[in-house]
Each structure stands twice: as structure tokens, then as C-alpha cells.
Amino acid sequence: MGGVQSLQLPHGKGPHQVGCTDVMVGYNRKGLFFRLFYPCLPQEGAEQPLWIPRYEYCHGLADYINLNRKWCTPVLSVTFENCEGLGRCFLLFQLISCSRGSYRVPVSWNGPFKSCGSRYPLIIFSHGLGAFRTVYSAVCAEMASRGFLVMALEHRDHSACATYFCKVEAGESDSLEAALQEEWIPFRRAREGQKEFHFRNPQVHQRANECVRGLRLMQDINRGKAVTNVFHKEFDLSALKDCVDLTKVAVMGHSFGGATAVLALAKETHFKCAVALDAWMFPLENALYPKVIKPVLFVNTEKFQTTESVAKMKRLSSRNSQTKIITILGSVHQSQTDFTFLAGNLLNRVFQTRGTLNPYAGLDITNRAALAFLQKHLELKEDFDQWNNLLEGIGDSVIPEAPFCVSSL
């Protein structure tokens, strides 16, 4: 494969500069927490946000991959928070020799929103198991650079490696901000003896409901309803008033988030289509499939899917000729996450964060196929149809449906 010379996230390739902000709405776990990516005005010297925004996410990642928190978390934190490169962290892991890279997302933090004569279509993005809102920044930033608003949710169903909400402690302070207390929601595995499906199925329903609530929130913001962001005032959500095209809304996700996107499409009529990146179909109940009547694009990697999972995708494609299944050759499950760009060669060999296909080439295929699909089903007037051949599995490193031999989990 082509070497990855530097460990950094790619910039969006579209015509728009990209900004992002974090939004938390509500003072309990039934609220919403997400990172919003959006087209923004150019800004010299703009601050770029950290890829891992809080120390606690390092705890969560350590727990998720079953590493010892006592030594794993401090080195992860030093690496990502101080942006000194993966070398220090993974040399201690004995997984990687010295490498350097930037661990900030190449977008403008709280950059000025770029209003335009027309409204922006909306994508609601659902992360995978053990991830959080920033792990798909490369995909989300690319979509925003192409003229989408992207709401990257952080789910509160115990499937994120860690997340939190802010609650008000009565009597603590006269100031609401000073009275806010964080409550963290850790990653949770199925209990011993508990069937995995019976644990994951309620989670995927909670996740899909959060996607629907995310859409409802954007509807409120678009019509000018005052929405309080718990975090800060640096980005004014009222700037989005009348700037969201709520007739052009899609739901997208990776792995567990791919299954979430399929379920959300069935739950909410305003979602016009779904893009499912290497979807983990296992948590979806059989009764769901007849209810998914709108098109889905399944973009699979070569080394993750099972025969059973692909068969479930084919149940949907057999019902709707506009539902497409393609596979990117030389890719692995993490190829559709930011980890594929931020892991060095030895770490890649241990954790399989990268396949034989250059990760930047793999990202281009993923994004271009998604954009072509979104143009068609959101009825966009863009030039994304130049990549329509990808939807049929035609092109370098892409095939229709699945390889003859799929992996077993």
C-alpha cells in the first residue's frame, strides 16, 4: 500500500471552509450532545479543536480496548491533549516507534457560519460502538465542505466509550453555570449470561430515537426557536435560522451507527435516505426489515462483514432497487474512522486500523459514493453524480455487493 507520510486528518475537498462547534442541550441524559460541522467563512489563524477533547475519553478508550487504565490513560492524554504525536504514547505501548502528527481536527473551532442564498441539507451522523462524536471527523468535515450541515451525535446508551451530561445541583450557586455538575456515562458491555442481542437491540432503538430528536432540534433551530447550549456562547445557534433545508435530510453512521441509521430511516419519515458504513446489522430485529422502504447505501469494507450480515442487507436491496451494496477492497472496519489516519505502521499491524488500500484513497471512495447517493435521493443540484459509477460497484478498489469470501467475526 502507499505509505502514509504524516499522521493527520485530511482537509475537506469541497468548496466550503469548515467550522465546528459542540452543542449540549438539556440538563439530563434525555437531552442531546453533538458536534456540529458546517460551512463557515474563512478565518485567518482560526483555532482548531482537539481530536480527543477531554481526558475522560482516554479513560473510556482504555476501558473499551481492555487496556490497563493506570498506564494507558496518562500516555493517551499526553499524546492527544498536548498534540506531541503518537510516538510517546505508543512507544510506551511497545507498539510503535517514533512518529509525529497533529491531533487537531483541521476545521475552524466556532468559526463564523457561512449563510447563503439557499439552505443547506442536513446529515445526522451516528458513531460506532466504543466511539464518540469526534471519531468520524474526516467524513463529517468532507460532507460539510460539500455544503452539508452535519450533526455528529454522541450517544448516551452506554455504547460510546464515554460521554456525559450536565445537571443542575440545587443550592450550589446563584449562577446556573457554576451550579452545573457533570455526570459521566461509561461504556457498558452485556452482563455475563445476557444474550448480546437482547442487550444491543434496546440500545439501537435509543440511538435511533436520539437521531430523530436531533432532527426535531434542528427543526426548532431552523424556525428560530431559542435553544440553550449548555456549553458556551461562542457560536450562536440562531445563525442557522432559515438555513437548514429540512426537505433534504439524511441519516448516516458507521458500524453500530450504520444499523442505527437504518432503524432511524424506518422511524422518521423526514429522513429521505440512509448511508450505512460497514453496518453491524446484528442488533436489528427481523420485524424491522419490511418497514425500511426508503433507499440505503451500504458501503462495506473487505474484512468485517459476515455472510449473515450481508444477507440482511440484501433483504433490503431486494425490496428497493435504489438500495445499493458496495465493498471497498483493501479496507478494514477502522478504515472508515479517523483511527486509520492517526495510527502508525506498528499500531496498524497490532490493531488493524488500516488495510492494504491507502486510507486517503479509501476515504475518497467512501465520500464520493455517499455524495453521489445523497445527490440522487435528496435531489441536490450539485456535480456529485460524476461518481454514480461507484454506486454500482464500478471503479478502482470497489466491487458490487460483497466479496465471495467474507470474514467471520
Side-chain angles (χ1 to χ4, degrees), residues 99-155:
S99 303
R100 291 197 178 273
S102 172
Y103 294 96
R104 289 182 180 268
V105 183
V107 299
S108 176
W109 180 240
N110 294 318
F113 179 71
K114 181 182 179 181
S115 58
C116 63
S118 58
R119 300 180 179 187
Y120 295 116
L122 173 67
I123 297 171
I124 295 180
F125 195 98
S126 173
H127 65 73
L129 196 66
F132 50 99
R133 69 189 184 281
T134 75
V135 169
Y136 303 89
S137 293
V139 171
C140 294
E142 174 66 13
M143 295 296 115
S145 81
R146 301 287 182 173
F148 290 86
L149 298 174
V150 185
M151 174 187 282
L153 289 168
E154 191 163 287
H155 291 294

Side-chain angles (χ1 to χ4, degrees), residues 278-321:
D278 226 10
W280 184 42
M281 300 295 284
F282 170 78
L284 299 175
E285 66 271 24
N286 288 330
L288 166 73
Y289 292 90
K291 301 175 184 177
V292 183
I293 59 176
K294 293 180 180 178
V296 181
L297 172 63
F298 292 100
V299 184
N300 294 332
T301 65
E302 186 177 0
K303 299 296 185 181
F304 176 73
Q305 292 297 332
T306 63
T307 302
E308 293 79 10
S309 184
V310 172
K312 292 178 178 181
M313 297 174 190
K314 288 183 176 180
R315 287 182 64 180
L316 296 180
S317 64
S318 68
R319 291 176 166 273
N320 187 331
S321 62

Side-chain angles (χ1 to χ4, degrees), residues 1 4 7 51 65 86 90 95-96 254 301 303 330-360:
M1 75 170 227
V4 180
L7 300 178
W51 185 65
I65 59 177
L86 279 174
F90 294 117
L95 296 177
I96 187 171
H254 174 255
T301 65
K303 299 296 185 181
S331 62
V332 297
H333 195 51
Q334 297 300 330
S335 295
Q336 294 170 333
T337 75
D338 293 348
F339 290 111
T340 196
F341 302 105
L342 302 181
N345 291 331
L346 183 53
L347 182 68
N348 165 53
R349 287 198 292 271
V350 175
F351 287 108
Q352 292 187 313
T353 59
R354 197 180 304 145
T356 57
L357 179 66
N358 182 286
Y360 297 97

